[in-house]
Amino acid sequence: MSNPAPASTHPEATWWRQAAVYQIYPRSFADSDNDGMGDLPGITARMDYLSALGIDAIWLSPFYPSALADGGYDVDDYRNVDPRLGSLDDFDAMVAAAHESGIKIIVDIVPNHSSNLHPWFQAALAAAPGSPERARYHFLDGLGEEGELPPSDWPSHFGGGAWTRVKEAAGPNAGQLGQWYLHLFAAEQPDFNWDNPEVREDFHTTLRFWADRGVDGFRVDVAHALDKDMSLPLRSKPALEILVDDGSDPLFDRDAVHEIFAGWRSVLNEYDPPKAAVAEAWVPFTDRRLKYARPTELGQAFNFDLLQAHFDGTEFRTIAEKCLSEAEASGASSTWVFSNHDVVRHASRYALPDDSTLETLEAWLLSDGVTPATDLARGLRRARAATLFMLGLPGSAYLYQGEELGLFEVADLPAAALQDPTWFRTQHKIKGRDGCRVPLPWSATELNFGFGGTPWLPQPSWFALQAADVQDGTIGSTLEMYRDALALRRKLQTEESLEWLSGESGPLVHYRRPNGWEVLTNFANKPAPLPSGVDVAKVVLSSGDPADATTTIPAETTLWIAP
Ligand code: GLC
């Protein structure tokens, strides 16, 4: 393992530990040139909005040149900007504007796979089996007499198998069907071979490229998948879940990934302050997950436990407690997230019946959001309560664009508009993630709700009710609640610990930060008496109507109580 530099004493070295990070899905944020696709100048133009929101950092989903087979997570060139989204100069201007507003920039790095249009993959297709060009990816001969069967039974995340057969362009079998290449996602996303030092070196170059341009951190896509057991014969793995998480899975969370990230940390520590990083690692809740977040590796790892939980006090409290102790053990700070570009927006998830499962969600999307019926008012009420519960916790809060408007999932996008590879690769059995990626409504009255040109995904008419301009300055709006919370959060987040004031289970969850700030959530669907000692005069923020907190706390509500 490489030896990372000693911890920096730079005053900015730990800015990320309790940051509020706002995820921008660039194509859907703001469109400056009216082509229907959001872009980097659109982000720069909205910097005042982001600054007024009170965030500490922006995480930018991929903006690199891409054919958009997977919304940009299929990267053609890791060190450039998609011309539809702007130029490197536009990128620099955006970083400068963000920094002027005191906002840091985190960019998404996609190391598990490139796109099929990446020059390396094109070279691999043009080269013969066994060539160095092929060795940057995973090319294997097929099974069966003629190599007509894929090398293993591994499935792809988006449906179908993880192997695609190529027609050889060179070598003795030129012109014939030949080897297969691995893609754990879409066929347009060939997996890199991380045993190849050239791949490792190239990603170090990419990290330095963006770090030199002033970015402050990196979000690492599918961090747990880089190392694979490719020893022959390949082991069977008919499902993508990790059944036993002990490092023995052929595809995920293998020990050797940590060597890769220790190497990344050495690169990130070449800068002072060191660059931050957060791993997207869908690894079960064991102490293996905290390895990604060690100071000798990425520093933080997402945990999706709250995102996957029901709106339930006991579940929330148990998860918060476990994540905080996990973070402490690793030297990281915890991360919290309810919504991102991969999941149904939390205001809609919480509007579904309480016993909903992942299957319910998928069926709900396929029914165009009709069955089962949702209770949207309740969904939003719970989403707001959950958000305030989370924003009071120590650690970094990752927010997804539009959640500050209380946006619901656009569950009824017409089939012809859908773009998620999941929809195509499951033969229309799973609808996928487009419903949370619809371009934002900035204005209730302007054309395309002020987004720009005709959006690449159609916006529903009800966006008028949730547009930013109708919420701006409106007391009680979700936007104003987020603004108030993010401003107050700066006072509340002085130390990274808390004390639980309520018991381990039950619908009322109450905690206190060392500086005396308290957060109280009633997860039940009926009001509860205020715990003794809570002074209603000190309630400075409520996810509901503050006037409703008297001797009771209303149903599905969070209160922030100042010292
Ligand atoms: C991550 C991204 C997701 C993408 C996948 C493949 O999970 O968040 O959007 O489809 O990786 O890159």
Side-chain angles (χ1 to χ4, degrees), residues 23 25 59 61 70-74 108 110 112-113 157-158 185-186 189 219 221-222 224 280 282 340-342 420-421 433 437:
Q23 181 190 357
Y25 195 71
W59 148 29
S61 277
D70 180 23
Y73 284 89
D74 46 321
D108 218 311
V110 188
N112 180 66
H113 43 265
H157 281 280
F158 296 145
F185 293 87
Q189 294 168 295
R219 178 260 187 193
D221 194 59
V222 236
H224 58 306
E280 186 214 23
W282 287 87
N340 63 31
H341 66 297
D342 289 331
D420 189 332
R433 304 159 294 175
R437 300 175 175 180

PDB file of all heavy atoms in Angstrom, residues 23 25 59 61 70-74 108 110 112-113 157-158 185-186 189 219 221-222 224 280 282 340-342 420-421 433 437, ligand 1:
ATOM      1  N   GLN A  23     -26.231  18.192  -5.105  1.00  0.00           N
ATOM      2  CA  GLN A  23     -25.936  17.480  -6.353  1.00  0.00           C
ATOM      3  C   GLN A  23     -26.639  18.137  -7.528  1.00  0.00           C
ATOM      4  O   GLN A  23     -27.862  18.297  -7.528  1.00  0.00           O
ATOM      5  CB  GLN A  23     -26.373  16.016  -6.266  1.00  0.00           C
ATOM      6  CG  GLN A  23     -26.055  15.254  -7.545  1.00  0.00           C
ATOM      7  CD  GLN A  23     -26.684  13.871  -7.618  1.00  0.00           C
ATOM      8  OE1 GLN A  23     -27.332  13.436  -6.671  1.00  0.00           O
ATOM      9  NE2 GLN A  23     -26.513  13.203  -8.742  1.00  0.00           N
ATOM     10  N   TYR A  25     -27.430  17.666 -11.485  1.00  0.00           N
ATOM     11  CA  TYR A  25     -27.451  16.784 -12.643  1.00  0.00           C
ATOM     12  C   TYR A  25     -27.447  17.749 -13.832  1.00  0.00           C
ATOM     13  O   TYR A  25     -28.485  18.314 -14.180  1.00  0.00           O
ATOM     14  CB  TYR A  25     -28.723  15.929 -12.584  1.00  0.00           C
ATOM     15  CG  TYR A  25     -28.715  14.745 -13.510  1.00  0.00           C
ATOM     16  CD1 TYR A  25     -27.883  13.649 -13.256  1.00  0.00           C
ATOM     17  CD2 TYR A  25     -29.527  14.713 -14.639  1.00  0.00           C
ATOM     18  CE1 TYR A  25     -27.865  12.562 -14.112  1.00  0.00           C
ATOM     19  CE2 TYR A  25     -29.509  13.626 -15.489  1.00  0.00           C
ATOM     20  CZ  TYR A  25     -28.676  12.555 -15.221  1.00  0.00           C
ATOM     21  OH  TYR A  25     -28.664  11.474 -16.068  1.00  0.00           O
ATOM     22  N   TRP A  59     -21.897  19.038  -6.007  1.00  0.00           N
ATOM     23  CA  TRP A  59     -21.376  17.823  -6.648  1.00  0.00           C
ATOM     24  C   TRP A  59     -22.004  17.781  -8.031  1.00  0.00           C
ATOM     25  O   TRP A  59     -23.214  17.756  -8.179  1.00  0.00           O
ATOM     26  CB  TRP A  59     -21.719  16.585  -5.819  1.00  0.00           C
ATOM     27  CG  TRP A  59     -21.940  15.325  -6.618  1.00  0.00           C
ATOM     28  CD1 TRP A  59     -21.390  14.978  -7.819  1.00  0.00           C
ATOM     29  CD2 TRP A  59     -22.810  14.240  -6.263  1.00  0.00           C
ATOM     30  NE1 TRP A  59     -21.840  13.742  -8.238  1.00  0.00           N
ATOM     31  CE2 TRP A  59     -22.713  13.273  -7.298  1.00  0.00           C
ATOM     32  CE3 TRP A  59     -23.654  13.974  -5.168  1.00  0.00           C
ATOM     33  CZ2 TRP A  59     -23.445  12.071  -7.277  1.00  0.00           C
ATOM     34  CZ3 TRP A  59     -24.372  12.785  -5.148  1.00  0.00           C
ATOM     35  CH2 TRP A  59     -24.253  11.852  -6.188  1.00  0.00           C
ATOM     36  N   SER A  61     -22.744  15.852 -11.356  1.00  0.00           N
ATOM     37  CA  SER A  61     -22.778  14.574 -12.068  1.00  0.00           C
ATOM     38  C   SER A  61     -22.052  14.760 -13.399  1.00  0.00           C
ATOM     39  O   SER A  61     -21.792  15.899 -13.813  1.00  0.00           O
ATOM     40  CB  SER A  61     -24.227  14.140 -12.278  1.00  0.00           C
ATOM     41  OG  SER A  61     -24.700  13.495 -11.119  1.00  0.00           O
ATOM     42  N   ASP A  70     -25.981   6.263 -20.824  1.00  0.00           N
ATOM     43  CA  ASP A  70     -26.381   6.190 -19.423  1.00  0.00           C
ATOM     44  C   ASP A  70     -26.232   7.576 -18.796  1.00  0.00           C
ATOM     45  O   ASP A  70     -25.511   7.770 -17.828  1.00  0.00           O
ATOM     46  CB  ASP A  70     -25.538   5.135 -18.672  1.00  0.00           C
ATOM     47  CG  ASP A  70     -25.925   5.040 -17.193  1.00  0.00           C
ATOM     48  OD1 ASP A  70     -27.068   5.426 -16.861  1.00  0.00           O
ATOM     49  OD2 ASP A  70     -25.083   4.606 -16.388  1.00  0.00           O
ATOM     50  N   GLY A  71     -26.892   8.534 -19.419  1.00  0.00           N
ATOM     51  CA  GLY A  71     -26.947   9.883 -18.856  1.00  0.00           C
ATOM     52  C   GLY A  71     -25.588  10.508 -18.565  1.00  0.00           C
ATOM     53  O   GLY A  71     -25.474  11.322 -17.656  1.00  0.00           O
ATOM     54  N   GLY A  72     -24.547  10.116 -19.297  1.00  0.00           N
ATOM     55  CA  GLY A  72     -23.235  10.720 -19.071  1.00  0.00           C
ATOM     56  C   GLY A  72     -22.298   9.853 -18.240  1.00  0.00           C
ATOM     57  O   GLY A  72     -21.107  10.146 -18.143  1.00  0.00           O
ATOM     58  N   TYR A  73     -22.839   8.792 -17.613  1.00  0.00           N
ATOM     59  CA  TYR A  73     -21.974   7.845 -16.894  1.00  0.00           C
ATOM     60  C   TYR A  73     -21.320   6.876 -17.886  1.00  0.00           C
ATOM     61  O   TYR A  73     -20.829   5.818 -17.517  1.00  0.00           O
ATOM     62  CB  TYR A  73     -22.754   7.119 -15.798  1.00  0.00           C
ATOM     63  CG  TYR A  73     -22.976   8.016 -14.593  1.00  0.00           C
ATOM     64  CD1 TYR A  73     -24.097   8.842 -14.510  1.00  0.00           C
ATOM     65  CD2 TYR A  73     -22.040   8.082 -13.564  1.00  0.00           C
ATOM     66  CE1 TYR A  73     -24.284   9.692 -13.426  1.00  0.00           C
ATOM     67  CE2 TYR A  73     -22.227   8.922 -12.479  1.00  0.00           C
ATOM     68  CZ  TYR A  73     -23.344   9.724 -12.415  1.00  0.00           C
ATOM     69  OH  TYR A  73     -23.515  10.568 -11.338  1.00  0.00           O
ATOM     70  N   ASP A  74     -21.362   7.239 -19.131  1.00  0.00           N
ATOM     71  CA  ASP A  74     -20.641   6.552 -20.203  1.00  0.00           C
ATOM     72  C   ASP A  74     -19.734   7.637 -20.794  1.00  0.00           C
ATOM     73  O   ASP A  74     -20.161   8.455 -21.591  1.00  0.00           O
ATOM     74  CB  ASP A  74     -21.608   5.971 -21.242  1.00  0.00           C
ATOM     75  CG  ASP A  74     -22.712   6.934 -21.671  1.00  0.00           C
ATOM     76  OD1 ASP A  74     -23.250   7.684 -20.820  1.00  0.00           O
ATOM     77  OD2 ASP A  74     -23.029   6.982 -22.882  1.00  0.00           O
ATOM     78  N   ASP A 108     -17.691  14.210 -10.500  1.00  0.00           N
ATOM     79  CA  ASP A 108     -17.947  12.776 -10.517  1.00  0.00           C
ATOM     80  C   ASP A 108     -16.876  12.102 -11.366  1.00  0.00           C
ATOM     81  O   ASP A 108     -16.615  12.523 -12.487  1.00  0.00           O
ATOM     82  CB  ASP A 108     -19.324  12.572 -11.189  1.00  0.00           C
ATOM     83  CG  ASP A 108     -20.146  11.475 -10.569  1.00  0.00           C
ATOM     84  OD1 ASP A 108     -19.601  10.389 -10.378  1.00  0.00           O
ATOM     85  OD2 ASP A 108     -21.342  11.718 -10.317  1.00  0.00           O
ATOM     86  N   VAL A 110     -15.790   8.405 -13.002  1.00  0.00           N
ATOM     87  CA  VAL A 110     -16.422   7.115 -13.335  1.00  0.00           C
ATOM     88  C   VAL A 110     -15.320   6.107 -13.711  1.00  0.00           C
ATOM     89  O   VAL A 110     -14.970   5.977 -14.878  1.00  0.00           O
ATOM     90  CB  VAL A 110     -17.422   7.299 -14.496  1.00  0.00           C
ATOM     91  CG1 VAL A 110     -18.234   6.025 -14.718  1.00  0.00           C
ATOM     92  CG2 VAL A 110     -18.348   8.479 -14.237  1.00  0.00           C
ATOM     93  N   ASN A 112     -15.122   2.654 -13.139  1.00  0.00           N
ATOM     94  CA  ASN A 112     -15.380   1.233 -13.395  1.00  0.00           C
ATOM     95  C   ASN A 112     -15.426   0.913 -14.884  1.00  0.00           C
ATOM     96  O   ASN A 112     -15.073  -0.173 -15.315  1.00  0.00           O
ATOM     97  CB  ASN A 112     -16.695   0.807 -12.733  1.00  0.00           C
ATOM     98  CG  ASN A 112     -16.984  -0.659 -12.974  1.00  0.00           C
ATOM     99  OD1 ASN A 112     -16.259  -1.528 -12.504  1.00  0.00           O
ATOM    100  ND2 ASN A 112     -18.013  -0.950 -13.766  1.00  0.00           N
ATOM    101  N   HIS A 113     -15.886   1.900 -15.664  1.00  0.00           N
ATOM    102  CA  HIS A 113     -16.084   1.657 -17.091  1.00  0.00           C
ATOM    103  C   HIS A 113     -15.904   2.963 -17.844  1.00  0.00           C
ATOM    104  O   HIS A 113     -16.150   4.036 -17.295  1.00  0.00           O
ATOM    105  CB  HIS A 113     -17.493   1.125 -17.353  1.00  0.00           C
ATOM    106  CG  HIS A 113     -18.537   1.857 -16.554  1.00  0.00           C
ATOM    107  ND1 HIS A 113     -18.996   1.405 -15.345  1.00  0.00           N
ATOM    108  CD2 HIS A 113     -19.171   3.038 -16.756  1.00  0.00           C
ATOM    109  CE1 HIS A 113     -19.863   2.254 -14.841  1.00  0.00           C
ATOM    110  NE2 HIS A 113     -19.993   3.270 -15.682  1.00  0.00           N
ATOM    111  N   HIS A 157     -26.331  -4.609 -14.400  1.00  0.00           N
ATOM    112  CA  HIS A 157     -27.182  -3.847 -13.475  1.00  0.00           C
ATOM    113  C   HIS A 157     -28.450  -3.338 -14.136  1.00  0.00           C
ATOM    114  O   HIS A 157     -29.426  -3.047 -13.456  1.00  0.00           O
ATOM    115  CB  HIS A 157     -26.420  -2.630 -12.939  1.00  0.00           C
ATOM    116  CG  HIS A 157     -25.467  -2.964 -11.837  1.00  0.00           C
ATOM    117  ND1 HIS A 157     -25.871  -3.150 -10.547  1.00  0.00           N
ATOM    118  CD2 HIS A 157     -24.132  -3.150 -11.846  1.00  0.00           C
ATOM    119  CE1 HIS A 157     -24.826  -3.427  -9.782  1.00  0.00           C
ATOM    120  NE2 HIS A 157     -23.758  -3.441 -10.559  1.00  0.00           N
ATOM    121  N   PHE A 158     -28.419  -3.140 -15.406  1.00  0.00           N
ATOM    122  CA  PHE A 158     -29.591  -2.554 -16.078  1.00  0.00           C
ATOM    123  C   PHE A 158     -30.448  -3.617 -16.751  1.00  0.00           C
ATOM    124  O   PHE A 158     -31.292  -3.296 -17.573  1.00  0.00           O
ATOM    125  CB  PHE A 158     -29.134  -1.532 -17.119  1.00  0.00           C
ATOM    126  CG  PHE A 158     -28.411  -0.342 -16.547  1.00  0.00           C
ATOM    127  CD1 PHE A 158     -27.377   0.249 -17.255  1.00  0.00           C
ATOM    128  CD2 PHE A 158     -28.766   0.193 -15.329  1.00  0.00           C
ATOM    129  CE1 PHE A 158     -26.708   1.368 -16.747  1.00  0.00           C
ATOM    130  CE2 PHE A 158     -28.107   1.299 -14.805  1.00  0.00           C
ATOM    131  CZ  PHE A 158     -27.067   1.888 -15.520  1.00  0.00           C
ATOM    132  N   PHE A 185     -22.719  -2.678 -16.557  1.00  0.00           N
ATOM    133  CA  PHE A 185     -23.865  -1.786 -16.777  1.00  0.00           C
ATOM    134  C   PHE A 185     -24.315  -1.973 -18.239  1.00  0.00           C
ATOM    135  O   PHE A 185     -24.389  -3.109 -18.710  1.00  0.00           O
ATOM    136  CB  PHE A 185     -23.494  -0.352 -16.392  1.00  0.00           C
ATOM    137  CG  PHE A 185     -23.268  -0.222 -14.909  1.00  0.00           C
ATOM    138  CD1 PHE A 185     -22.017  -0.467 -14.341  1.00  0.00           C
ATOM    139  CD2 PHE A 185     -24.308   0.093 -14.043  1.00  0.00           C
ATOM    140  CE1 PHE A 185     -21.816  -0.395 -12.971  1.00  0.00           C
ATOM    141  CE2 PHE A 185     -24.118   0.170 -12.672  1.00  0.00           C
ATOM    142  CZ  PHE A 185     -22.864  -0.073 -12.138  1.00  0.00           C
ATOM    143  N   ALA A 186     -24.542  -0.910 -18.980  1.00  0.00           N
ATOM    144  CA  ALA A 186     -25.028  -1.056 -20.358  1.00  0.00           C
ATOM    145  C   ALA A 186     -23.901  -1.557 -21.269  1.00  0.00           C
ATOM    146  O   ALA A 186     -22.713  -1.445 -20.930  1.00  0.00           O
ATOM    147  CB  ALA A 186     -25.547   0.288 -20.860  1.00  0.00           C
ATOM    148  N   GLN A 189     -20.980   0.585 -21.909  1.00  0.00           N
ATOM    149  CA  GLN A 189     -20.118   0.915 -20.766  1.00  0.00           C
ATOM    150  C   GLN A 189     -19.151  -0.244 -20.445  1.00  0.00           C
ATOM    151  O   GLN A 189     -19.298  -0.925 -19.428  1.00  0.00           O
ATOM    152  CB  GLN A 189     -20.987   1.233 -19.540  1.00  0.00           C
ATOM    153  CG  GLN A 189     -21.821   2.496 -19.723  1.00  0.00           C
ATOM    154  CD  GLN A 189     -22.890   2.645 -18.652  1.00  0.00           C
ATOM    155  OE1 GLN A 189     -23.808   1.840 -18.570  1.00  0.00           O
ATOM    156  NE2 GLN A 189     -22.768   3.658 -17.813  1.00  0.00           N
ATOM    157  N   ARG A 219     -16.410  12.606  -6.431  1.00  0.00           N
ATOM    158  CA  ARG A 219     -17.362  11.553  -6.061  1.00  0.00           C
ATOM    159  C   ARG A 219     -17.022  10.361  -6.948  1.00  0.00           C
ATOM    160  O   ARG A 219     -16.905  10.482  -8.171  1.00  0.00           O
ATOM    161  CB  ARG A 219     -18.784  12.057  -6.306  1.00  0.00           C
ATOM    162  CG  ARG A 219     -19.897  11.032  -6.006  1.00  0.00           C
ATOM    163  CD  ARG A 219     -20.397  10.395  -7.270  1.00  0.00           C
ATOM    164  NE  ARG A 219     -21.570   9.549  -7.034  1.00  0.00           N
ATOM    165  CZ  ARG A 219     -22.039   8.685  -7.924  1.00  0.00           C
ATOM    166  NH1 ARG A 219     -21.479   8.573  -9.111  1.00  0.00           N
ATOM    167  NH2 ARG A 219     -23.081   7.940  -7.639  1.00  0.00           N
ATOM    168  N   ASP A 221     -17.693   6.967  -8.623  1.00  0.00           N
ATOM    169  CA  ASP A 221     -18.799   6.129  -9.076  1.00  0.00           C
ATOM    170  C   ASP A 221     -18.464   4.640  -8.899  1.00  0.00           C
ATOM    171  O   ASP A 221     -17.369   4.204  -9.234  1.00  0.00           O
ATOM    172  CB  ASP A 221     -19.011   6.438 -10.574  1.00  0.00           C
ATOM    173  CG  ASP A 221     -20.314   5.903 -11.114  1.00  0.00           C
ATOM    174  OD1 ASP A 221     -21.366   6.295 -10.596  1.00  0.00           O
ATOM    175  OD2 ASP A 221     -20.281   5.100 -12.067  1.00  0.00           O
ATOM    176  N   VAL A 222     -19.443   3.880  -8.428  1.00  0.00           N
ATOM    177  CA  VAL A 222     -19.318   2.410  -8.242  1.00  0.00           C
ATOM    178  C   VAL A 222     -17.926   1.998  -7.740  1.00  0.00           C
ATOM    179  O   VAL A 222     -17.284   1.114  -8.301  1.00  0.00           O
ATOM    180  CB  VAL A 222     -19.663   1.601  -9.518  1.00  0.00           C
ATOM    181  CG1 VAL A 222     -20.750   0.605  -9.221  1.00  0.00           C
ATOM    182  CG2 VAL A 222     -20.087   2.408 -10.688  1.00  0.00           C
ATOM    183  N   HIS A 224     -16.913   0.252  -5.392  1.00  0.00           N
ATOM    184  CA  HIS A 224     -16.687  -1.098  -4.844  1.00  0.00           C
ATOM    185  C   HIS A 224     -16.506  -2.160  -5.930  1.00  0.00           C
ATOM    186  O   HIS A 224     -16.363  -3.333  -5.622  1.00  0.00           O
ATOM    187  CB  HIS A 224     -17.871  -1.477  -3.951  1.00  0.00           C
ATOM    188  CG  HIS A 224     -19.196  -1.449  -4.655  1.00  0.00           C
ATOM    189  ND1 HIS A 224     -19.649  -0.339  -5.332  1.00  0.00           N
ATOM    190  CD2 HIS A 224     -20.146  -2.395  -4.808  1.00  0.00           C
ATOM    191  CE1 HIS A 224     -20.826  -0.606  -5.856  1.00  0.00           C
ATOM    192  NE2 HIS A 224     -21.145  -1.836  -5.556  1.00  0.00           N
ATOM    193  N   GLU A 280     -19.026   6.031  -3.838  1.00  0.00           N
ATOM    194  CA  GLU A 280     -20.341   5.417  -3.997  1.00  0.00           C
ATOM    195  C   GLU A 280     -20.103   3.913  -3.952  1.00  0.00           C
ATOM    196  O   GLU A 280     -19.603   3.322  -4.891  1.00  0.00           O
ATOM    197  CB  GLU A 280     -20.979   5.792  -5.341  1.00  0.00           C
ATOM    198  CG  GLU A 280     -22.407   5.282  -5.436  1.00  0.00           C
ATOM    199  CD  GLU A 280     -22.831   4.855  -6.837  1.00  0.00           C
ATOM    200  OE1 GLU A 280     -21.974   4.532  -7.679  1.00  0.00           O
ATOM    201  OE2 GLU A 280     -24.041   4.802  -7.096  1.00  0.00           O
ATOM    202  N   TRP A 282     -22.104   0.554  -2.892  1.00  0.00           N
ATOM    203  CA  TRP A 282     -23.337  -0.102  -2.423  1.00  0.00           C
ATOM    204  C   TRP A 282     -22.940  -1.411  -1.742  1.00  0.00           C
ATOM    205  O   TRP A 282     -23.072  -2.493  -2.301  1.00  0.00           O
ATOM    206  CB  TRP A 282     -24.299  -0.343  -3.579  1.00  0.00           C
ATOM    207  CG  TRP A 282     -24.965   0.888  -4.080  1.00  0.00           C
ATOM    208  CD1 TRP A 282     -24.488   1.750  -5.020  1.00  0.00           C
ATOM    209  CD2 TRP A 282     -26.259   1.415  -3.693  1.00  0.00           C
ATOM    210  NE1 TRP A 282     -25.383   2.772  -5.235  1.00  0.00           N
ATOM    211  CE2 TRP A 282     -26.482   2.595  -4.447  1.00  0.00           C
ATOM    212  CE3 TRP A 282     -27.253   1.011  -2.776  1.00  0.00           C
ATOM    213  CZ2 TRP A 282     -27.639   3.366  -4.316  1.00  0.00           C
ATOM    214  CZ3 TRP A 282     -28.404   1.782  -2.660  1.00  0.00           C
ATOM    215  CH2 TRP A 282     -28.583   2.939  -3.415  1.00  0.00           C
ATOM    216  N   ASN A 340     -31.222  11.130  -4.892  1.00  0.00           N
ATOM    217  CA  ASN A 340     -30.182  11.424  -5.881  1.00  0.00           C
ATOM    218  C   ASN A 340     -30.735  11.067  -7.263  1.00  0.00           C
ATOM    219  O   ASN A 340     -31.939  10.780  -7.383  1.00  0.00           O
ATOM    220  CB  ASN A 340     -28.861  10.709  -5.540  1.00  0.00           C
ATOM    221  CG  ASN A 340     -28.981   9.200  -5.558  1.00  0.00           C
ATOM    222  OD1 ASN A 340     -29.772   8.628  -6.319  1.00  0.00           O
ATOM    223  ND2 ASN A 340     -28.208   8.537  -4.726  1.00  0.00           N
ATOM    224  N   HIS A 341     -29.883  11.089  -8.266  1.00  0.00           N
ATOM    225  CA  HIS A 341     -30.345  10.888  -9.637  1.00  0.00           C
ATOM    226  C   HIS A 341     -30.670   9.422  -9.949  1.00  0.00           C
ATOM    227  O   HIS A 341     -30.998   9.112 -11.087  1.00  0.00           O
ATOM    228  CB  HIS A 341     -29.262  11.398 -10.600  1.00  0.00           C
ATOM    229  CG  HIS A 341     -28.012  10.572 -10.508  1.00  0.00           C
ATOM    230  ND1 HIS A 341     -27.260  10.491  -9.349  1.00  0.00           N
ATOM    231  CD2 HIS A 341     -27.406   9.746 -11.398  1.00  0.00           C
ATOM    232  CE1 HIS A 341     -26.245   9.666  -9.537  1.00  0.00           C
ATOM    233  NE2 HIS A 341     -26.310   9.205 -10.773  1.00  0.00           N
ATOM    234  N   ASP A 342     -30.514   8.534  -8.970  1.00  0.00           N
ATOM    235  CA  ASP A 342     -30.741   7.109  -9.210  1.00  0.00           C
ATOM    236  C   ASP A 342     -31.996   6.570  -8.534  1.00  0.00           C
ATOM    237  O   ASP A 342     -32.320   5.394  -8.704  1.00  0.00           O
ATOM    238  CB  ASP A 342     -29.541   6.290  -8.680  1.00  0.00           C
ATOM    239  CG  ASP A 342     -28.290   6.462  -9.532  1.00  0.00           C
ATOM    240  OD1 ASP A 342     -28.420   6.718 -10.746  1.00  0.00           O
ATOM    241  OD2 ASP A 342     -27.183   6.330  -8.978  1.00  0.00           O
ATOM    242  N   ASP A 420     -33.635   6.088 -19.810  1.00  0.00           N
ATOM    243  CA  ASP A 420     -32.801   5.259 -18.935  1.00  0.00           C
ATOM    244  C   ASP A 420     -32.553   3.894 -19.590  1.00  0.00           C
ATOM    245  O   ASP A 420     -33.500   3.225 -19.995  1.00  0.00           O
ATOM    246  CB  ASP A 420     -33.529   5.081 -17.593  1.00  0.00           C
ATOM    247  CG  ASP A 420     -32.639   4.422 -16.554  1.00  0.00           C
ATOM    248  OD1 ASP A 420     -31.734   3.649 -16.918  1.00  0.00           O
ATOM    249  OD2 ASP A 420     -32.867   4.683 -15.358  1.00  0.00           O
ATOM    250  N   PRO A 421     -31.273   3.459 -19.639  1.00  0.00           N
ATOM    251  CA  PRO A 421     -30.989   2.152 -20.246  1.00  0.00           C
ATOM    252  C   PRO A 421     -31.746   0.996 -19.570  1.00  0.00           C
ATOM    253  O   PRO A 421     -32.020  -0.030 -20.207  1.00  0.00           O
ATOM    254  CB  PRO A 421     -29.476   1.979 -20.082  1.00  0.00           C
ATOM    255  CG  PRO A 421     -29.028   3.032 -19.127  1.00  0.00           C
ATOM    256  CD  PRO A 421     -30.041   4.131 -19.202  1.00  0.00           C
ATOM    257  N   ARG A 433     -34.957   5.587 -14.034  1.00  0.00           N
ATOM    258  CA  ARG A 433     -34.692   6.731 -13.180  1.00  0.00           C
ATOM    259  C   ARG A 433     -35.000   8.090 -13.798  1.00  0.00           C
ATOM    260  O   ARG A 433     -34.631   9.113 -13.240  1.00  0.00           O
ATOM    261  CB  ARG A 433     -33.206   6.667 -12.776  1.00  0.00           C
ATOM    262  CG  ARG A 433     -32.829   5.339 -12.103  1.00  0.00           C
ATOM    263  CD  ARG A 433     -31.344   5.052 -12.163  1.00  0.00           C
ATOM    264  NE  ARG A 433     -30.912   4.827 -13.541  1.00  0.00           N
ATOM    265  CZ  ARG A 433     -29.642   4.641 -13.918  1.00  0.00           C
ATOM    266  NH1 ARG A 433     -28.698   4.658 -13.018  1.00  0.00           N
ATOM    267  NH2 ARG A 433     -29.337   4.455 -15.182  1.00  0.00           N
ATOM    268  N   ARG A 437     -35.176  13.003 -12.946  1.00  0.00           N
ATOM    269  CA  ARG A 437     -34.179  13.770 -13.706  1.00  0.00           C
ATOM    270  C   ARG A 437     -34.811  14.831 -14.606  1.00  0.00           C
ATOM    271  O   ARG A 437     -34.138  15.390 -15.475  1.00  0.00           O
ATOM    272  CB  ARG A 437     -33.368  12.804 -14.576  1.00  0.00           C
ATOM    273  CG  ARG A 437     -32.625  11.757 -13.757  1.00  0.00           C
ATOM    274  CD  ARG A 437     -31.917  10.734 -14.619  1.00  0.00           C
ATOM    275  NE  ARG A 437     -31.134   9.824 -13.788  1.00  0.00           N
ATOM    276  CZ  ARG A 437     -30.400   8.816 -14.253  1.00  0.00           C
ATOM    277  NH1 ARG A 437     -30.367   8.582 -15.560  1.00  0.00           N
ATOM    278  NH2 ARG A 437     -29.714   8.040 -13.449  1.00  0.00           N
TER     279      ARG A 437
HETATM  280  C1  GLC B   1     -23.697   4.899 -10.492  1.00  0.00           C
HETATM  281  C2  GLC B   1     -24.433   6.134 -10.951  1.00  0.00           C
HETATM  282  C3  GLC B   1     -25.513   5.725 -11.897  1.00  0.00           C
HETATM  283  C4  GLC B   1     -24.866   5.045 -13.083  1.00  0.00           C
HETATM  284  C5  GLC B   1     -24.001   3.878 -12.648  1.00  0.00           C
HETATM  285  C6  GLC B   1     -23.105   3.419 -13.750  1.00  0.00           C
HETATM  286  O1  GLC B   1     -24.483   4.062  -9.726  1.00  0.00           O
HETATM  287  O2  GLC B   1     -24.917   6.827  -9.835  1.00  0.00           O
HETATM  288  O3  GLC B   1     -26.277   6.806 -12.327  1.00  0.00           O
HETATM  289  O4  GLC B   1     -25.863   4.566 -13.944  1.00  0.00           O
HETATM  290  O5  GLC B   1     -23.151   4.242 -11.590  1.00  0.00           O
HETATM  291  O6  GLC B   1     -22.106   4.356 -13.992  1.00  0.00           O
END
